[in-house]
Amino acid sequence: MTKIGIVGIGDISGIYLKNITETFKELQIVAVCDLIKERALNAQKEYGIPKVYDTMYELFEDDSIELVLNLTRPYEHFAVSKAALLAGKNVYSEKPLGASLAEGKELVALAEEKGLMIGGAPDTFLGAGIQTCRKLIDDGVIGDIVGASGAMICHGHETWHHDPEFYYKYGGGPMMDMGPYYITALINLMGGVKSVTGVTKISFPQRTITSQPFAGKIIDVDVPTYITGIMQFNSGAVATLTTTFDVFRSDSHDIEIYGSKGTLYVPDPNCFNGKIRFYDGEAGCEKEFPAVFDYGENSRALGLADMAKALETGRAPRASYNQTFHVLEIMEAFSESSKLGKAVEIKSEFTRQPPMPSDAAHGILD
């Protein structure tokens, strides 16, 4: 059983705590910590966690902990993950790997130097929906991939989130916030990316929070909130991607994969399942396919459990830095391309890991 230490008991931690303690039988939470100690104490009480530490450094000194789960805010990921690696801990982090490519490079170099694993979210690509789509593509159902499109379109978080300011600061924005789901899904369906051409802008330099408890506060927007562009894949396929906090409504589908035999409509990559539709261009009709893999429910911590199994068996984790760093480089390339006015080459290589097994016991990884 892999011993886990968790840093950060915020909004996303609830589903992790639930799934680790109820679903993933080969994980055990040894300790938690949070800057607001009351949160850690509440988690300890609800989930029967043995230890609460005042600081992450105290947690990292716990020799029983093999794998640190970093659930802090995006701009904090780098410092927490770096400190954990320096302490000799393997790390699974919420997305993104870092708030910049430079941060990601430093973390990867440190992990390689110390012979440690680092990787992380999103793990929705391991769920029933996208794994089924991968099988359809790999089995040739849609033919050769011609291209794809993805769109994450909304009007920001200031109308509903209880503390939305960080979404508009360093490490935030629609690409860093939601891009990991879309790009992770696309590369697992289509392979690695060769180059990116992008255009970005800040449509509204200031935002007014209308949700409580900060209603009326004006936010200065420091990061692009409309990012769009083209990804050229190593296979030769081309995909467009748009992420924005500036649009009230769109009918664009989350992800569409265009094949020589028809169009595959991929479920929301922020979820583990959803309707899987295929328009068969040869038959002239639409078909719906059932999911044929496990983990259709909200299974956050699935990637963590997979990394724990990788530590145990010596295989590569499915959500390793090979993936999270490639995604980070692609995301930053949209802004870099916009600044340079030309395509940006993606230097990192990405290799898809084996698909999920369809016959393993629920909660037990292969």
Side-chain angles (χ1 to χ4, degrees):
M1 185 171 288
T2 303
K3 306 295 194 299
I4 308 295
I6 304 178
V7 180
I9 307 297
D11 292 339
I12 195 65
S13 67
I15 189 62
Y16 275 94
L17 290 162
K18 181 178 186 296
N19 287 340
I20 293 170
T21 54
E22 295 180 7
T23 300
F24 297 110
K25 313 296 193 303
E26 298 177 306
L27 302 178
Q28 180 185 0
I29 305 173
V30 170
V32 294
C33 74
D34 192 275
L35 291 173
I36 301 174
K37 191 172 182 179
E38 183 182 4
R39 293 176 177 174
L41 291 170
N42 288 339
Q44 179 186 42
K45 181 179 179 180
E46 184 172 357
Y47 295 99
I49 298 167
K51 306 171 190 176
V52 170
Y53 287 111
D54 290 331
T55 72
M56 66 179 183
Y57 300 103
E58 292 174 354
L59 185 146
F60 299 154
E61 289 174 359
D62 188 328
D63 291 336
S64 69
I65 293 172
E66 303 162 81
L67 180 54
V68 169
L69 175 57
N70 181 356
L71 299 183
T72 58
R73 290 190 169 184
Y75 60 86
E76 298 168 322
H77 287 175
F78 170 73
V80 175
S81 294
K82 180 178 178 179
L85 291 169
L86 287 170
K89 305 298 185 185
N90 301 286
V91 178
Y92 184 94
S93 175
E94 251 303 324
K95 48 81 186 170
L97 172 64
S100 69
L101 185 60
E103 290 185 355
K105 285 181 178 178
E106 186 171 342
L107 291 175
V108 167
L110 184 57
E112 290 181 341
E113 175 190 330
K114 290 187 167 290
L116 296 167
M117 286 188 183
I118 184 169
D123 55 4
T124 46
F125 77 99
L126 297 174
I130 292 173
Q131 286 292 304
T132 299
C133 289
R134 173 174 171 170
K135 179 173 172 54
L136 292 173
I137 291 171
D138 292 351
D139 288 350
V141 172
I142 77 169
D144 296 328
I145 295 177
V146 175
S149 66
M152 193 298 297
I153 296 175
C154 71
H155 205 262
H157 297 60
E158 64 272 18
T159 61
W160 61 270
H161 196 278
H162 65 90
D163 190 11
E165 187 167 3
F166 75 93
Y167 286 102
Y168 300 97
K169 301 297 182 181
Y170 176 69
M175 181 59 78
M176 285 294 189
D177 179 43
M178 294 299 293
Y181 296 104
Y182 287 76
I183 297 171
T184 298
L186 285 167
I187 64 175
N188 273 278
L189 296 174
M190 299 172 60
V193 172
K194 179 180 180 181
S195 67
V196 171
T197 305
V199 178
T200 72
K201 67 170 183 170
I202 297 174
S203 299
F204 309 104
Q206 292 186 321
R207 303 267 184 151
T208 301
I209 300 175
T210 59
S211 56
Q212 295 298 331
F214 298 107
K217 181 179 180 180
I218 296 175
I219 304 170
D220 290 324
V221 178
D222 297 340
V223 293
T225 50
Y226 198 109
I227 301 101
T228 190
I230 301 166
M231 295 178 289
Q232 183 178 10
F233 286 74
N234 292 326
S235 65
V238 175
T240 59
L241 178 64
T242 297
T243 65
T244 180
F245 287 161
D246 300 341
V247 176
F248 281 105
R249 181 180 175 182
S250 170
D251 291 330
S252 296
H253 193 273
D254 293 302
I255 293 178
E256 299 176 355
I257 308 291
Y258 309 124
S260 58
K261 295 181 180 179
T263 298
L264 178 66
Y265 299 93
V266 180
D268 183 349
N270 190 24
C271 301
F272 286 81
N273 207 352
K275 188 177 289 187
I276 301 165
R277 297 181 295 125
F278 173 63
Y279 178 78
D280 188 330
E282 297 173 345
C285 64
E286 185 174 290
K287 305 172 182 178
E288 187 171 329
F289 287 89
V292 293
F293 289 86
D294 197 1
Y295 303 107
E297 70 284 356
N298 188 342
S299 299
R300 280 175 171 80
L302 176 55
L304 177 72
D306 182 80
M307 181 176 281
K309 178 62 74 171
L311 282 169
E312 177 188 329
T313 63
R315 68 164 170 82
R318 289 181 171 89
S320 73
Y321 74 78
N322 169 261
Q323 175 169 286
T324 57
F325 182 77
H326 192 64
V327 169
L328 180 60
E329 184 178 6
I330 292 166
M331 291 194 297
E332 187 163 299
F334 280 87
S335 293
E336 186 67 12
S337 172
S338 184
K339 292 175 187 175
L340 297 175
K342 63 179 183 180
V344 170
E345 178 187 357
I346 301 302
K347 297 178 180 178
S348 60
E349 298 289 337
F350 170 72
T351 302
R352 295 195 307 170
Q353 294 300 314
M356 292 287 283
S358 58
D359 57 353
H362 188 68
I364 305 294
L365 275 290
D366 61 306

